[in-house]
Amino acid sequence: MMAQMLNFEIPQDLARDLKQWRTRIGAVGVIALALTLLGALIGPPGQFFRSYLWSYVLFLGVSLGCLAWLMMQYLTGGAWGVVIRRPAEAAARTLPLLALLFIPIVIGVPTLYSWSHANIVAADPVLQHKSMYLNFPFFLGRAVFYFLGWLFCSWYLNRWSENEDRTASPVAHQKMAALAGPGVLFWGVSVTFMSIDWVMSLEPHWFSTMYGLLFIAGQGLSSMAFLIALLVLLSQYEPMSRILTHRHLHDLGKLLLAAVMVWAYFSFSQFLIIWTGNLPEEIPFYLRRLTGGWWWLALLLVVGHFALPFALLLSRDLKRNFKLISRIAIFILFMRAVDIYWQAAPDTTNGVFAPSWMDLTAFIGIGGIWLAYFLTNLAQRPLMPLHDPHLEEALEHGRE
Amino acid sequence: MTKTDIYGVMAEFDNPTALVNAARAAREKGFRKLDAYTPFPIEELTDALHLHKNKLPLIVLVGGIIGGILGYLLQYYVTVWHFPLNIDGKPLHSWPSYIVITFEMTVLCAGLSAVFGLLALCGLPQPYHPTFNVPRFALASRNRFFLCIEATDPLFDRKHTSEFLETLEPKEVSEVAH
């Protein structure tokens, strides 16, 4: 009943504003990335790649997390899934751009990863032992494989979803649900190996079996925070203003809280195991990250990435308050940036705490370009799936 | 016609929507001492009866905090004071290793507070409740939905309240004896 009363097409004022944001954010992104590239020429050697890597991993995480939530909601159902479908699909469609933006990292392999140097490997028995896995051709092959899998999921989910809008056929939904199961599995495995390849192998001697899960939880958290902030922003316009209820936000807020807790659980588990074992091949990871400026970042993570959002998100009223939950979501997104910086940067600078202006410009550059492309994608389709089998139920959710 | 002659009046409905609507209508009319009885949880009813604000979250929070503190102190007492042992060269007061049990004790005590807090706030165990004096009330655990307006409500009036319930199209309205 409600579905017929609402028009899900993007109205003119929102289309105009989306275009304006896209142009502005995109312009800022291009300028920032250009500055970062300039820094590659005149700045300290290697800093470009160091700054680029962590920013890239952060925004890739938002896209992949959205892809994962998209697949997850096909498996679990629920009103929250219907309202995030379109933004999550749009974020999944940014993956081709991210595949393109991966090229600088391929170029940066010799600068970033010590295992890529034959002479270093030759002098190091541990690296020799690992060279079956950690070598450039295999590294590249794996990256191509991850991207093919992600693009496959994203492409089909978007194609079938578009089909569903056009034909109203229930077959599309069944196909998406069928892909979602293996898709989520692939996401979990590929993100685990991705984190090992691109971030953990920055310090090729170190290993932790918890590492992949940390990135899985982190991606789920980044993307949920992003989706909440975006939905609240869109709810200032038709048709979202009439669709989004406090019940939807309450459900998404609970998922956000769960992701905060899972991240904290994994982070502490890894720390506890390594701290207790105190083994020479494991403990340097934390010794490095708990000294100097890194110590303050670690403290910031404990408070800002866990304690504060956890305590606040316990409140039911807060989860139902559009303004407050979106502020917390944006705050969490910044904490995600701090977390990835704290994970990735110490090993690229040999433990020295040396934030560079290029860290900031790379963050704004990749983020700006990514966001602009996301907004372009978002503007292409109606803001709600027109023929989702649970659409009516989702619209009634939390309505008197 | 005194208020205390009976416990209240009760209306029986055969579907949850009618009950939720009736509960809303009764709230709008100004009744506050009312309760609903259903065979399964109905989320809308919580809103209709304004039951969201209660003391249970606070009880659980306090229970959790007490549990956490107890868990931490227990380990501190054992490893630092009662039986100090040098393990792995680490300080006696090695807080990271306390966290897991502190967390578990928090969860345990919060969970127990939730269970017993709920029972206490519901006034359970309660061997006698007047609603059971209505013969058909046994159906509340099968397929019928009941709304009871209690005599302690300031607006309660034996005759008028029954008449009001009749307007909500129930299957039956009955008086609940003490």
Side-chain angles (χ1 to χ4, degrees):
Chain A
M1 292 166 296
M2 274 209 62
Q4 276 122 40
M5 283 156 52
L6 288 166
N7 179 6
F8 297 133
E9 298 295 333
I10 293 180
Q12 272 183 350
D13 61 331
L14 177 58
R16 192 194 57 224
D17 285 3
L18 280 178
K19 210 166 181 179
Q20 205 174 52
W21 297 336
R22 184 195 68 191
T23 317
R24 286 182 188 165
I25 293 169
V28 171
V30 169
I31 292 168
L33 201 62
L35 279 175
T36 323
L37 280 168
L38 187 70
L41 299 174
I42 59 166
Q47 183 58 48
F48 170 80
F49 294 115
R50 294 199 280 270
S51 303
Y52 190 93
L53 178 72
W54 76 265
S55 308
Y56 177 82
V57 169
L58 174 69
F59 288 102
L60 177 73
V62 180
S63 289
L64 285 177
C66 283
L67 177 67
W69 284 118
L70 179 65
M71 295 192 284
M72 201 77 87
Q73 64 85 28
Y74 285 121
L75 298 175
T76 61
W80 62 271
V82 183
V83 292
I84 65 158
R85 248 185 79 179
R86 279 299 135 90
E89 283 171 3
R93 290 209 296 284
T94 63
L95 282 166
L97 172 76
L98 287 159
L100 199 69
L101 288 176
F102 186 66
I103 294 171
I105 293 176
V106 177
I107 299 169
V109 165
T111 319
L112 289 168
Y113 304 102
S114 61
W115 50 258
S116 66
H117 295 277
N119 54 339
I120 294 177
V121 175
D124 190 324
V126 175
L127 292 191
Q128 274 171 35
H129 196 66
K130 292 186 178 183
S131 65
M132 282 277 279
Y133 185 84
L134 290 178
N135 60 72
F136 183 67
F138 194 27
F139 173 89
L140 197 60
R142 286 192 305 267
V144 169
F145 179 69
Y146 308 148
F147 273 111
L148 285 178
W150 298 332
L151 290 171
F152 177 88
C153 293
S154 156
W155 198 75
Y156 274 105
L157 289 174
N158 274 291
R159 190 184 137 100
W160 290 333
S161 176
E162 202 256 325
N163 221 333
E164 186 187 59
D165 267 8
R166 226 181 27 226
T167 61
S169 140
V171 181
H173 208 84
Q174 288 159 13
K175 283 200 235 171
M176 290 187 281
L179 175 62
V184 169
L185 193 67
F186 176 78
W187 169 72
V189 175
S190 60
V191 169
T192 302
F193 281 92
M194 177 215 92
S195 67
I196 293 172
D197 288 5
W198 303 352
V199 191
M200 194 162 114
S201 81
L202 289 166
E203 167 48 276
H205 293 103
W206 185 75
F207 54 88
S208 161
T209 46
M210 207 63 148
Y211 208 63
L213 289 172
L214 257 176
F215 275 76
I216 287 173
Q219 291 191 353
L221 181 58
S222 317
S223 50
M224 188 43 76
F226 173 73
L227 288 170
I228 288 174
L230 180 83
L231 281 178
V232 171
L233 179 68
L234 288 176
S235 74
Q236 292 169 5
Y237 296 84
E238 295 268 340
M240 248 336 152
S241 56
R242 300 212 271 165
I243 295 168
L244 197 70
T245 67
H246 57 280
R247 280 282 294 278
H248 294 128
L249 276 180
H250 190 186
D251 292 349
L252 294 170
K254 285 184 219 167
L255 289 171
L256 190 70
L257 173 61
V260 166
M261 289 165 71
V262 166
W263 175 88
Y265 173 75
F266 289 154
S267 302
F268 183 74
S269 302
Q270 178 179 288
F271 172 75
L272 182 66
I273 290 165
I274 291 177
W275 173 85
T276 310
N278 206 14
L279 299 173
E281 63 265 36
E282 288 179 348
I283 201 73
F285 179 86
Y286 284 109
L287 291 181
R288 182 168 269 187
R289 279 165 183 75
L290 296 176
T291 46
W294 303 115
W295 161 254
W296 294 104
L297 286 190
L299 216 56
L300 178 64
L301 286 175
V302 172
V303 177
H305 201 309
F306 170 65
L308 193 63
F310 170 75
L312 291 175
L313 285 171
L314 284 176
S315 157
R316 174 192 150 91
D317 292 338
L318 188 145
K319 286 191 287 254
R320 291 177 161 236
N321 183 316
F322 281 49
K323 208 178 238 168
L324 289 178
I325 187 95
S326 85
R327 283 196 186 148
I328 291 182
I330 292 167
F331 176 73
I332 287 177
L333 271 175
F334 278 102
M335 283 299 120
R336 289 297 308 136
V338 174
D339 179 44
I340 295 201
Y341 184 71
W342 185 78
Q343 296 280 353
D347 291 323
T348 58
T349 59
N350 223 353
V352 182
F353 183 68
S356 153
W357 60 271
M358 288 165 76
D359 284 324
L360 194 65
T361 55
F363 171 75
I364 297 172
I366 298 176
I369 290 170
W370 179 84
L371 200 55
Y373 188 56
F374 167 80
L375 292 172
T376 312
N377 285 330
L378 187 71
Q380 282 166 352
R381 295 187 183 176
L383 281 180
M384 288 284 276
L386 304 181
H387 301 290
D388 190 290
H390 307 293
L391 180 63
E392 202 60 54
E393 200 183 305
L395 292 174
E396 295 292 341
H397 195 55
R399 229 167 272 281
E400 298 294 314
Chain B
M1 195 175 286
T2 59
K3 281 183 175 183
T4 47
D5 288 348
I6 54 169
Y7 174 76
V9 285
M10 185 184 258
E12 173 188 339
F13 300 91
D14 59 3
N15 69 79
T17 318
L19 173 68
V20 172
N21 290 337
R24 253 182 221 141
R27 278 287 305 192
E28 256 165 48
K29 190 92 177 163
F31 291 108
R32 290 296 174 268
K33 293 272 178 192
L34 66 168
D35 210 347
Y37 306 88
T38 60
F40 50 82
I42 300 168
E43 217 173 326
E44 287 79 6
L45 208 50
T46 324
D47 288 327
L49 293 174
H50 296 257
L51 291 177
H52 276 304
K53 301 287 170 218
N54 60 52
K55 289 205 175 72
L56 194 58
L58 185 68
I59 293 174
V60 176
L61 179 70
V62 171
I65 291 172
I66 290 175
I69 292 172
L70 280 180
Y72 197 96
L73 290 181
L74 168 78
Q75 295 169 87
Y76 185 85
Y77 166 74
V78 171
T79 57
V80 179
W81 197 75
H82 184 66
F83 200 76
L85 256 187
N86 182 345
I87 299 169
D88 202 15
K90 291 190 165 72
L92 290 176
H93 180 210
S94 284
W95 63 267
S97 58
Y98 296 175
I99 296 287
V100 177
I101 289 170
T102 304
F103 171 74
E104 298 295 349
M105 278 290 282
T106 309
V107 175
L108 177 69
C109 290
L112 291 175
S113 317
V115 174
F116 291 108
L118 177 76
L119 291 178
L121 290 179
C122 292
L124 292 171
Q126 199 166 24
Y128 173 79
H129 196 277
T131 47
F132 286 93
N133 291 330
V134 177
R136 293 179 62 82
F137 187 69
L139 293 174
S141 57
R142 292 181 57 190
N143 57 359
R144 289 298 145 81
F145 305 83
F146 293 87
L147 181 71
C148 181
I149 300 181
E150 288 155 28
T152 45
D153 194 290
L155 292 180
F156 186 83
D157 178 284
R158 197 164 177 167
K159 186 156 157 282
H160 290 125
T161 306
S162 293
E163 278 166 8
F164 165 71
L165 283 178
E166 288 287 358
T167 64
L168 303 172
E169 295 173 8
K171 277 190 78 72
E172 199 178 294
V173 173
S174 30
E175 293 194 336
V176 187
H178 265 302

